[in-house]
Amino acid sequence: MQATTASAISLNVRDVEASRDFFARHMGFSAGMAADGFVSMKREDVGYHLIFLRQGLASLQPETLKHAHAGGLILAFVVGDVDAEEARLRAEGVPITTPLQTEPWGERFFQVTDPNGLLVQFVQWMTPPEA
């Protein structure tokens, strides 16, 4: 494999503009390239572009992707202070889908859902709780 010069996650959604606006307003992404049914979002501290494609877009290949939805996928962001991130998003009016919790293996997280049903998880790695 040759050297990779960039990476992206492409997600099929019903409403490209709704996801674009959600990720710009609440997650700090900015829109780059855009066309009808397509937008590429970026953030300097994230190692990939986030691309939203409108379901049914004629250019989607293979044909089976045209009506697929990005369901079952979790976009995860590791942050330095997950409690502060949860408080910030709650203050901005973002509904919390899964409240803050800490797993036995030390992962503290919460989840929100964008307007197209995309699950976004914020994670902070903690010291595992004492038994």
Side-chain angles (χ1 to χ4, degrees):
M1 180 173 158
Q2 294 189 20
T4 301
T5 59
S7 60
I9 296 174
S10 295
L11 303 167
N12 295 347
V13 297
R14 287 176 294 285
D15 186 343
V16 169
E17 292 77 18
S19 285
R20 178 200 62 205
D21 294 348
F22 182 85
F23 278 83
R25 178 174 182 206
H26 301 296
M27 310 300 170
F29 279 79
S30 60
M33 295 188 311
D36 182 37
F38 162 87
V39 66
S40 176
M41 308 284 294
K42 65 179 180 174
R43 199 176 131 159
E44 294 304 318
D45 61 341
V46 174
Y48 56 86
H49 288 248
L50 191 53
I51 297 173
F52 296 110
L53 303 167
R54 186 180 62 239
Q55 286 176 299
L57 200 60
S59 62
L60 285 175
Q61 299 294 321
E63 185 71 24
T64 55
L65 281 181
K66 287 195 176 165
H67 301 288
H69 181 267
L73 177 80
I74 299 173
L75 290 174
F77 297 98
V78 178
V79 296
D81 186 342
V82 74
D83 292 83
E85 192 67 16
E86 189 270 350
R88 178 187 70 81
L89 290 170
R90 189 178 297 277
E92 290 178 5
V94 176
I96 305 302
T97 305
T98 303
L100 278 166
Q101 52 193 273
T102 304
E103 298 288 0
W105 54 85
E107 175 186 38
R108 184 158 173 76
F109 75 97
F110 73 96
Q111 297 172 329
V112 300
T113 304
D114 99 324
N116 282 295
L118 299 174
L119 199 58
V120 182
Q121 179 169 301
F122 294 87
V123 176
Q124 180 179 2
W125 291 99
M126 314 297 285
T127 303
E130 297 296 320

